[in-house]
Amino acid sequence: MSKVVAHPNSLLPGGTSPQFSLTKGFYMTPANLCTISFLNTLSAYPSSQPKPRIIALSSIGVTAASHAKTALPVRVFFKMITVPHLDKLGVHRIAAFASGRQWPAENNKLLGDPNDLLPQDWQTKVVEGSWGPDNVTVIQAALLTDGVETKKYRTGENELTGLYTISRRDVAHFITDDLLKNWSNYQGGELSVGY
């Protein structure tokens, strides 16, 4: 059985306290903390070793495909957290590059100038496709709550619609009782989870 690495800055709120600005909404400093941490996590792993499975936790509505399927009230709320969502989009970009997956052109419109988020030499830190298509999974969770574990969530790729919330306990249940046990069913990539 291969190792599993859960990227810590994708599971926690980034380790800094959020700030609020009328022009930026809620944001954290540095604005690309998750992106840089994820890049460093992947680049620090020895190339001579078999790659572990990597799980990064993101949010629905971050990628263009996911945003198009996100419910309108959730999209309105997401306008207040544009900067943190850009940070998560950076994680998606690095995951796609490291996995050798195609990066959709419509995501570039959301990302804007990649030099604002990614270091200029980021593509030299991880070899394109070096992690393989099956070893990196980005979970796009609905709005996280402190609710109870229900085990009644829905999962799928970007085609899921009508996701609003999910408890942190149900995200943990999905990771430990479904994703890890049935890794070959998911084949890496991006997965949405929520109610």
Side-chain angles (χ1 to χ4, degrees):
M1 177 165 213
S2 62
K3 298 178 197 170
V4 175
V5 176
H7 182 253
N9 283 325
S10 293
L11 298 176
L12 301 174
T16 64
S17 297
Q19 300 170 8
F20 181 77
S21 161
L22 289 176
T23 58
K24 295 180 183 178
F26 288 97
Y27 68 96
M28 297 173 130
T29 304
N32 62 350
L33 182 62
C34 292
T35 299
I36 298 302
S37 298
F38 190 66
L39 176 62
N40 289 339
T41 299
L42 295 184
S43 65
Y45 199 81
S47 60
S48 62
Q49 299 295 317
K51 302 294 189 209
R53 296 171 180 164
I54 298 285
I55 300 169
L57 184 59
S58 183
S59 173
I60 60 169
V62 171
T63 64
S66 174
H67 185 78
K69 300 293 184 178
T70 303
L72 181 61
V74 177
R75 279 188 276 171
V76 170
F77 171 73
F78 285 166
K79 290 287 184 190
M80 295 175 25
I81 56 172
T82 301
V83 175
H85 265 201
L86 284 175
D87 190 14
K88 296 296 187 185
L89 187 60
V91 171
H92 284 260
R93 177 66 185 107
I94 292 166
F97 183 79
S99 301
R101 291 192 314 270
Q102 183 70 34
W103 179 247
E106 59 268 17
N107 285 343
N108 288 332
K109 295 174 189 171
L110 297 173
L111 191 58
D113 184 358
N115 292 327
D116 292 341
L117 189 64
L118 300 160
Q120 289 183 335
D121 64 343
W122 75 273
Q123 291 177 322
T124 64
K125 293 187 177 211
V126 177
V127 177
E128 184 173 10
S130 63
W131 281 80
D134 302 337
N135 287 335
V136 180
T137 298
V138 180
I139 298 173
Q140 302 172 122
L143 186 63
L144 294 172
T145 69
D146 290 329
V148 298
E149 181 179 307
T150 67
K151 302 178 187 174
K152 295 181 180 178
Y153 47 83
R154 294 185 296 138
T155 62
E157 295 181 357
N158 289 321
E159 77 280 357
L160 287 180
T161 60
L163 299 179
Y164 290 92
T165 64
I166 187 166
S167 72
R168 289 173 175 84
R169 291 174 188 238
D170 274 334
V171 173
H173 180 269
F174 168 65
I175 292 171
T176 58
D177 286 16
D178 191 3
L179 179 61
L180 292 176
K181 290 179 180 176
N182 302 300
W183 190 269
S184 62
N185 294 343
Y186 293 103
Q187 301 295 318
E190 298 171 347
L191 299 169
S192 298
V193 60
Y195 314 126

